[in-house]
């Protein structure tokens, strides 16, 4: 992938930092709103959206720091060690979330609790379905401009989280029409499969990244 001139690279890197900081703020708000809605309604899909957004927040903040380091140091590439660490932690968090939600599904089947759909839940799901894709497109665009695989990977990860928000919205809509709590369990079960699959992909990515004596030298 073609590189850009250093001054232009620095300009676009600063822009990428700003986008990532905005993304971090949005994911923090998304996680909080979805958590409140999940607490009010008992919807597991909203709980999944909230906790997945928290993981997405961690990933966005980690990438913001790496981009900021590039801006401050003038380096054009990213640390292989940082890439591996971010992938490892993200993979562990996603897999752990899948396991936790599986336990919640089992608990709900054994001891059913009250369930409802709220305006706040719908609002959080709709907002996530619209705003998250915008950040994904920005990450993909900046990744191509800067030749940054971490930004491109963040865009790919964003597609996954966008899918979760769409599943959440669909589950809430169908559950509201059908007035059937089992729709919530079906929706969160799909989320669990996607979370586990994505978590394993991140862990495999971390495993496949290799180290050398030149690991301190930033690499793509």
């Amino acid at each position: 992938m073609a590189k850009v001139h250093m001054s232009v690279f620095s300009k676009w890197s600063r822009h990428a930092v700003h986008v990532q900081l905005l993304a971090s703020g949005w994911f923090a708000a998304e996680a909080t709103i979805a958590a409140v809605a999940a607490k009010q309604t008992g919807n597991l899909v909203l709980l999944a959206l909230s906790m997945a957004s928290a993981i997405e927040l961690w990933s966005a903040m980690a990438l913001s720091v790496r981009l900021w380091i590039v801006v401050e140091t003038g380096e054009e590439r990213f640390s292989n060690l940082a890439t591996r660490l971010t992938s490892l932690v993200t993979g562990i968090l996603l897999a752990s979330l899948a396991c936790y939600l599986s336990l919640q599904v089992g608990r709900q089947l054994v001891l059913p609790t009250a369930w409802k759909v709220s305006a706040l839940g719908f609002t959080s799901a709709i907002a996530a379905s619209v705003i998250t894709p915008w950040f994904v497109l920005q990450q993909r665009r900046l990744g191509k401009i800067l030749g940054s695989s971490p930004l491109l990977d963040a865009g790919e990860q964003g597609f996954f989280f966008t899918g979760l928000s769409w599943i959440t919205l669909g589950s809430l809509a169908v559950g509201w029409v059908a007035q059937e709590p089992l729709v919530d369990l079906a929706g969160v079960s799909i989320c669990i499969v996607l979370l586990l699959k994505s978590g394993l992909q991140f862990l495999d990515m971390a495993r496949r990244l290799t180290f050398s004596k030149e690991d301190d030298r930033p690499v793509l």
Side-chain angles (χ1 to χ4, degrees):
M1 190 173 295
K3 299 177 185 177
V4 295
H5 188 271
M6 192 59 177
S7 60
V8 179
F9 182 90
S10 179
K11 172 186 175 181
W12 282 108
S13 293
R14 290 182 184 279
H15 180 58
V17 172
H18 295 157
V19 169
Q20 284 303 118
L21 290 176
L22 285 174
S24 298
W26 159 244
F27 296 140
E30 180 183 38
T32 302
I33 295 172
V36 172
K39 180 68 175 180
Q40 292 178 345
T41 63
N43 294 153
L44 290 180
V45 285
L46 286 173
L47 178 63
L49 179 63
S50 172
M51 300 183 75
S53 297
I55 296 175
E56 195 173 11
L57 170 61
W58 134 258
S59 182
M61 291 179 64
L63 183 53
S64 297
V65 172
R66 290 155 65 188
L67 289 170
W68 178 80
I69 290 174
V70 170
V71 171
E72 293 299 313
T73 63
E75 295 287 351
E76 293 190 24
R77 300 181 176 210
F78 296 89
S79 168
N80 194 22
L81 177 60
T83 301
R84 186 177 190 182
L85 178 61
T86 302
S87 298
L88 179 62
V89 174
T90 302
I92 291 174
L93 290 175
L94 289 172
S96 299
L97 176 56
C99 294
Y100 172 75
L101 291 173
S102 297
L103 293 176
Q104 292 301 311
V105 169
R107 179 183 177 185
Q108 183 71 6
L109 289 173
V110 175
L111 300 171
T113 56
W115 178 93
K116 61 181 180 179
V117 177
S118 69
L120 183 60
F122 265 117
T123 301
S124 62
I126 292 172
S129 300
V130 174
I131 298 177
T132 301
W134 183 84
F135 284 114
V136 170
L137 294 176
Q138 293 300 309
Q139 289 168 332
R140 297 288 295 175
R141 182 174 71 93
L142 291 170
K144 292 178 180 179
I145 292 173
L146 295 171
S148 166
S149 57
L151 272 171
L152 292 173
D153 290 341
E156 292 294 332
Q157 181 180 344
F159 283 126
F160 160 72
F161 285 109
T162 297
L164 284 183
S165 65
W166 289 344
I167 292 171
T168 301
L169 180 59
S171 177
L172 291 177
V174 174
W176 177 69
V177 172
Q179 293 296 309
E180 176 54 64
L182 289 179
V183 173
D184 182 52
L185 296 182
V188 78
S189 296
I190 297 174
C191 292
I192 289 172
V193 173
L194 293 179
L195 286 166
L196 185 58
K197 180 180 179 180
S198 182
L200 292 175
Q201 287 176 342
F202 273 99
L203 291 175
D204 184 62
M205 185 188 304
R207 180 186 62 81
R208 288 187 286 105
L209 287 172
T210 58
F211 291 94
S212 70
K213 294 179 179 180
E214 297 181 340
D215 266 344
D216 290 334
R217 182 191 67 188
V219 297
L220 284 173

